[in-house]
Amino acid sequence: MSTFSARRTASLTLAVTAALTLALVTSASANGPEAGTPAQATAPAPSVSGSPEGAFTRIADFYGSYIDAVYDGDGATADRLRAFYLSAPLQAELRKWEETNHADGVLRAQNVPLKWKVTSTGSGTGRTDATVTLTWGGDTTKVFVQADLATRKIVSIRD
């Protein structure tokens, strides 16, 4: 075999090897990570948004802030939050409920939940409705909350 043929064969072998390697790498990338290789986390960072004009946002803001205040043992802040977010008739109703049940009327419990979630359940006739899911260790409870669209005040909290 001549030197020219040997070089030609070596160059051709190198080119074929490079093409096959590129094809395998491209195929592996398109199919995701190999088995046993940890996948990169692609979950978006948590975010919270809202609007001071929305009654539903006010429900979520109230529950988040209120639970924080009660959890921290800050009764004065919890009282101010009630005064700001809850209608006067609801505040009176909660005081009666709390006297009868010896528990927090907003949370419907004597202790503080570890997690909370507010889900919109619709709007109509000047009101917006939400379900508040409270998580207590392994158990959850739900309260049904209604806010007035015009005043953005919470007007009802029900089991």
Side-chain angles (χ1 to χ4, degrees):
M1 186 192 281
S2 72
T3 307
F4 177 73
S5 293
R7 285 185 193 155
R8 185 172 166 206
T9 303
S11 294
L12 185 58
T13 302
L14 183 61
V16 169
T17 302
L20 287 173
T21 301
L22 180 61
L24 288 173
V25 168
T26 304
S27 174
S29 296
N31 293 330
E34 293 181 37
T37 303
Q40 292 181 343
T42 57
S47 67
V48 177
S49 63
S51 167
E53 296 175 345
F56 171 74
T57 299
R58 296 284 182 113
I59 295 170
D61 289 347
F62 170 70
Y63 268 89
S65 299
Y66 186 79
I67 289 169
D68 288 349
V70 174
Y71 181 85
D72 290 345
D74 189 346
T77 297
D79 290 342
R80 284 192 301 273
L81 289 166
R82 282 179 174 226
F84 182 77
Y85 284 100
L86 307 180
S87 69
L90 178 58
Q91 291 177 58
E93 180 184 317
L94 288 176
R95 282 191 293 276
K96 288 179 186 174
W97 189 95
E98 290 167 344
E99 287 174 17
T100 303
N101 294 283
H102 307 288
D104 185 303
V106 171
L107 303 175
R108 299 297 208 241
Q110 292 178 335
N111 54 357
V112 185
L114 300 175
K115 295 181 186 177
W116 57 268
K117 179 180 178 181
V118 180
T119 306
S120 175
T121 53
S123 292
T125 63
R127 306 285 169 105
T128 192
D129 299 313
T131 299
V132 179
T133 304
L134 305 169
T135 302
W136 317 87
D139 295 328
T140 61
T141 58
K142 294 183 185 223
V143 292
F144 305 96
V145 180
Q146 192 173 66
D148 183 272
L149 292 174
T151 65
R152 294 177 303 278
K153 296 278 188 182
I154 296 171
V155 295
S156 175
I157 298 174
R158 302 272 180 246
D159 295 333

